[in-house]
Amino acid sequence: MAGTRWLDERQMAAWQGFLEATSRVSRHVEQQLKEDAGLSHPQYEVLVRLAGAPGGELRMTDLAEGLFTSKSNLTYQVGQLEKHGLVRRRSCPTDVRGVLAVLTEEGRDTLRAAAPGHVAAVRAALIDVLEPDEIDTIARALGRVGARLRPPGRDTEETEAAERAAETEAQGAGSSDSGGMSTSSS
Amino acid sequence: MAGTRWLDERQMAAWQGFLEATSRVSRHVEQQLKEDAGLSHPQYEVLVRLAGAPGGELRMTDLAEGLFTSKSNLTYQVGQLEKHGLVRRRSCPTDVRGVLAVLTEEGRDTLRAAAPGHVAAVRAALIDVLEPDEIDTIARALGRVGARLRPPGRDTEETEAAERAAETEAQGAGSSDSGGMSTSSS
DNA sequence: CACCGGTTGTTCAAATTCGAAACGTACCGT
DNA sequence: ACGGTACGTTTCGAATTTGAACAACCGGTG
């Protein structure tokens, strides 16, 4: 038991910084989104993914994939969005149990209106505080960290690659788009 | 409105990486802590701070300071800890309105037992996945990010200083030897 | 065709979280 | 000492989140 490898000062600083940044940034972004567009961050993400999908619709499962939350939570979030008329549900034609979440016109408008403020918040909280080289390091390092903890399940032919190579997260692009406005946009 | 400065690919990757890493790491750590010691992360942090304070006691407000959560939540957390006998409340002798949270023997034992596993989890999820230089960059960069979003209030001679060097609170106390174990140690 | 293991999405109760309002002091200027 | 304001903590109600339990359903097997 005496063999525990504690953290040295550097590592400790990194962990603390990570914790504080995490907490503060997410709070900042979430708050901006809430009072500026009445959306929670997860809800915003849902809209973004839908907007970037063909036909503006996606199955719950696919939606859950990129969204870092549980299935039951997704049901809740979509329920909220539906209640506000930003999304509509439609049962999947090829699979009876499937449900498609469809972005409504109003949802698209809301997203369009919310995007600029959101990006600004992300910049103010994180991006514009970092030097270019820090941005690259963080993208690479944290990308690796996230990938490593990714559930074993799906092998998107890149999951494995990233796992091993872990070199450059290579935006891949292949994954449909993501060019959407997930804090960016066209 | 065309004036919005969207994020380029690098920045986008950094933001996404930050989001995913944030979500996955915190989930990983929290889960380990919960099923290994029955503590939530905030609760663990409370114990750590108390263990590192003279007499193993601290005022609620001081506790809340380093703990990235709201005051009402702190009340709840301490309440939970108290319910499990890891902490005890005592009214402050110098200020009647104040309340001191005191670490009990059992609390100290619980912390000692939980620390190794927690550190291991943090290492597995974050630290050991990073290169030494990445650790330094992250400590510096995220430290700056967190400090910048820190509420204006406090002027602990750190306002400006923290900008450059993330303070690593000294916490010798504890129990004679292996100092605090805020995921680190002496 | 009936059976089985694995999916899909929802529902439920319980735990957590937050913000605003409520309290009971403490400190300050007069 | 007196009134006003600021502080430290808790309480309250509402919103979120989660894990487990469900019910219906797919697909492939024998």
Side-chain angles (χ1 to χ4, degrees):
Chain A
M1 306 334 172
T4 301
R5 290 171 52 228
W6 302 99
L7 303 187
D8 64 32
E9 230 169 276
R10 306 272 233 7
Q11 299 170 327
M12 180 66 185
W15 175 237
Q16 288 286 3
F18 181 80
L19 280 186
E20 178 168 12
T22 269
S23 151
R24 297 236 143 87
V25 170
S26 92
R27 197 179 295 261
H28 179 262
V29 168
E30 201 130 335
Q31 184 160 359
Q32 183 282 320
L33 220 37
K34 185 92 66 184
E35 61 188 43
D36 206 45
L39 295 171
S40 68
H41 187 51
Q43 286 170 358
Y44 180 83
E45 284 293 330
V46 166
L47 294 187
V48 168
R49 311 230 169 228
L50 287 181
E57 58 184 21
L58 233 38
R59 284 186 61 163
M60 295 301 252
T61 302
D62 299 323
L63 207 47
E65 213 148 295
L67 205 55
F68 317 125
T69 178
S70 60
K71 270 186 292 191
S72 50
N73 188 16
L74 179 61
T75 293
Y76 175 75
Q77 298 298 351
V78 172
Q80 292 306 94
L81 287 173
E82 191 171 28
K83 198 158 72 179
H84 291 303
L86 308 185
V87 149
R88 183 165 53 81
R89 272 178 221 254
R90 180 165 88 82
S91 69
C92 178
T94 73
D95 189 335
V96 188
R97 29 188 200 160
V99 173
L100 289 171
V102 191
L103 190 60
T104 65
E105 249 342 287
E106 195 181 341
R108 211 176 284 275
D109 292 343
T110 297
L111 177 56
R112 235 193 306 271
H118 174 60
V119 179
V122 171
R123 274 191 178 284
L126 183 72
I127 302 299
D128 287 350
V129 181
L130 303 174
E131 302 296 332
D133 61 298
E134 292 177 333
I135 289 187
D136 288 340
T137 296
I138 284 183
R140 179 163 30 79
L142 293 191
R144 185 157 12 100
V145 168
R148 201 166 247 265
L149 258 44
R150 211 169 284 166
R154 288 286 70 62
D155 41 90
T156 324
E157 101 274 324
E158 63 174 335
T159 306
E160 300 257 331
E163 187 88 337
R164 240 167 330 198
E167 285 310 289
T168 322
E169 253 276 294
Q171 201 53 32
S175 54
S176 64
D177 52 273
S178 122
M181 43 187 82
S182 157
T183 310
S184 82
S185 162
S186 51
Chain B
M1 296 331 250
T4 302
R5 288 172 53 228
W6 304 100
L7 303 187
D8 63 34
E9 231 168 276
R10 308 276 229 7
Q11 300 170 324
M12 181 67 185
W15 175 235
Q16 289 285 2
F18 181 80
L19 280 184
E20 178 168 13
T22 269
S23 152
R24 297 235 142 88
V25 169
S26 91
R27 197 177 294 256
H28 179 262
V29 168
E30 200 131 333
Q31 185 160 358
Q32 183 283 320
L33 220 38
K34 185 95 62 185
E35 61 188 42
D36 206 44
L39 295 171
S40 68
H41 187 54
Q43 285 169 1
Y44 180 83
E45 284 292 331
V46 167
L47 294 187
V48 168
R49 311 232 167 227
L50 287 182
E57 57 183 23
L58 232 38
R59 287 185 60 163
M60 295 300 257
T61 302
D62 298 324
L63 249 180
E65 211 148 297
L67 204 56
F68 317 125
T69 178
S70 60
K71 277 181 288 192
S72 49
N73 187 19
L74 178 62
T75 292
Y76 174 75
Q77 298 297 353
V78 172
Q80 292 304 93
L81 287 174
E82 192 171 26
K83 196 158 72 179
H84 291 301
L86 308 186
V87 148
R88 184 165 52 77
R89 273 177 221 253
R90 181 164 90 80
S91 70
C92 178
T94 73
D95 189 336
V96 188
R97 347 168 247 186
V99 173
L100 289 172
V102 191
L103 189 60
T104 65
E105 252 338 288
E106 195 183 339
R108 211 177 283 274
D109 292 343
T110 297
L111 176 57
R112 235 192 306 271
H118 174 59
V119 179
V122 171
R123 275 191 178 283
L126 182 72
I127 302 298
D128 287 349
V129 181
L130 303 174
E131 302 295 333
D133 62 298
E134 291 176 334
I135 289 186
D136 288 341
T137 297
I138 284 183
R140 180 163 30 80
L142 293 191
R144 186 160 8 103
V145 168
R148 200 166 249 266
L149 258 44
R150 210 170 284 165
R154 290 291 64 63
D155 44 86
T156 324
E157 114 285 311
E158 59 172 343
T159 316
E160 297 271 327
E163 189 86 334
R164 250 161 323 188
E167 28 66 10
T168 318
E169 57 264 351
Q171 51 187 176
S175 46
S176 66
D177 49 327
S178 61
M181 32 194 86
S182 142
T183 310
S184 80
S185 156
S186 65

